[in-house]
Amino acid sequence: MKRLCVFCGSSPGADPDYAEAARALGREFLRRGIGLVYGGGRVGLMYEIARVVHESRGEVIGVIPRGMVEKELAYTDVRDLRIVESMHGRKALMAEISDGFIALPGGLGTMEEFFEVLTWAQLGIHRKPCGLLNVKAYFDPVLAFLDKARALNFLQAEHRGMVLVDESPSRLLEKFGAYRPPEADMARWAIDLTKS
Ligand code: AMP
């Protein structure tokens, strides 16, 4: 795994442990020589992880829409800041250049980004690992929703199994390293739906 994409809150959250977890994940990236791809912001948990990696001269690629740069929301110190024209363009580029996807605590943006890459995994558009850093059980209600969707047959077991979860950055990255995407029934979906 050369680079992983992190989705996380543009807010720091109400508990300083969220920021500490973002920094801990950044340190784990540095320790393992993994580059960070993220939304390019200088706000919230996004800034916490990006700053740790950037200041220790790890690889950071920020991908941010022009409109956000104009509102001065970009972390312009990042050496590799890629300015795109739209939110859709941002997600497509982040997905293309990353070897996997991690969500940290966040709000609507974080959930939307994570569920999109997970849906793409379900469709076989990519075969990269997707996981949640479950800091202080933040994602437990999301996991309960996935279990309910599985129990009620809205989600197949193999797709439920694609969601890697751990509260420890190091253990989550171990799970990423060991991840094998589901094989069954993928071929019928294995078309690039992002291009047409
Ligand atoms: P949210 O979880 O609603 O705070 O949204 C965070 C996610 O949406 C991040 O992963 C970013 O990709 C994107 N995002 C939302 N707000 C900003 C911002 N002010 N600057 C940069 N990216 C943002």
Side-chain angles (χ1 to χ4, degrees):
M1 290 182 302
K2 196 162 173 279
R3 292 184 194 130
L4 293 177
C5 181
V6 172
F7 307 126
C8 60
S10 56
S11 306
D15 184 331
D17 285 354
Y18 297 132
E20 178 44 36
R23 291 190 293 268
L25 183 62
R27 289 192 294 271
E28 201 56 40
F29 276 26
L30 288 164
R31 198 170 74 77
R32 294 169 185 255
I34 295 172
L36 169 70
V37 176
Y38 89 115
R42 58 172 179 77
V43 286
L45 297 189
M46 304 172 75
Y47 190 41
E48 295 295 334
I49 184 168
R51 203 171 34 179
V52 162
V53 181
H54 172 75
E55 287 178 355
S56 293
R57 305 198 69 78
E59 182 188 41
V60 179
I61 302 177
V63 184
I64 190 160
R66 189 174 303 281
M68 284 187 180
V69 179
E70 284 161 4
K71 289 194 181 116
E72 299 184 345
L73 291 169
Y75 184 13
T76 47
D77 289 356
V78 163
R79 284 174 287 278
D80 194 348
L81 189 66
R82 304 195 189 178
I83 299 170
V84 293
E85 295 308 319
S86 68
M87 293 293 275
H88 285 116
R90 170 201 246 179
K91 286 190 292 181
L93 181 59
M94 287 170 114
E96 184 188 322
I97 64 179
S98 305
D99 301 313
F101 310 92
I102 297 176
L104 266 73
L108 296 180
T110 302
M111 284 292 90
E112 185 264 342
E113 291 168 330
F114 185 70
F115 275 107
E116 178 165 279
V117 292
L118 203 54
T119 306
W120 288 6
Q122 175 176 266
L123 293 173
I125 294 171
H126 70 75
R127 296 166 58 79
K128 302 171 184 178
C130 300
L132 298 168
L133 188 68
N134 196 17
V135 186
K136 289 189 142 177
Y138 181 76
F139 288 115
D140 280 3
V142 176
L143 298 170
F145 158 73
L146 294 173
D147 288 338
K148 180 170 182 175
R150 167 67 211 115
L152 297 177
N153 280 346
F154 286 110
L155 180 61
Q156 292 179 22
E158 64 190 358
H159 298 145
R160 172 67 185 86
M162 294 187 315
V163 183
L164 308 178
V165 187
D166 211 293
E167 61 189 333
S168 138
S170 148
R171 284 198 305 266
L172 185 62
L173 292 178
E174 290 299 317
K175 290 178 183 176
F176 269 53
Y179 176 72
R180 296 287 169 267
E183 292 296 339
D185 222 15
M186 278 304 198
R188 73 193 169 101
W189 292 109
I191 46 174
D192 190 347
L193 298 176
T194 61
K195 294 190 184 126
S196 71

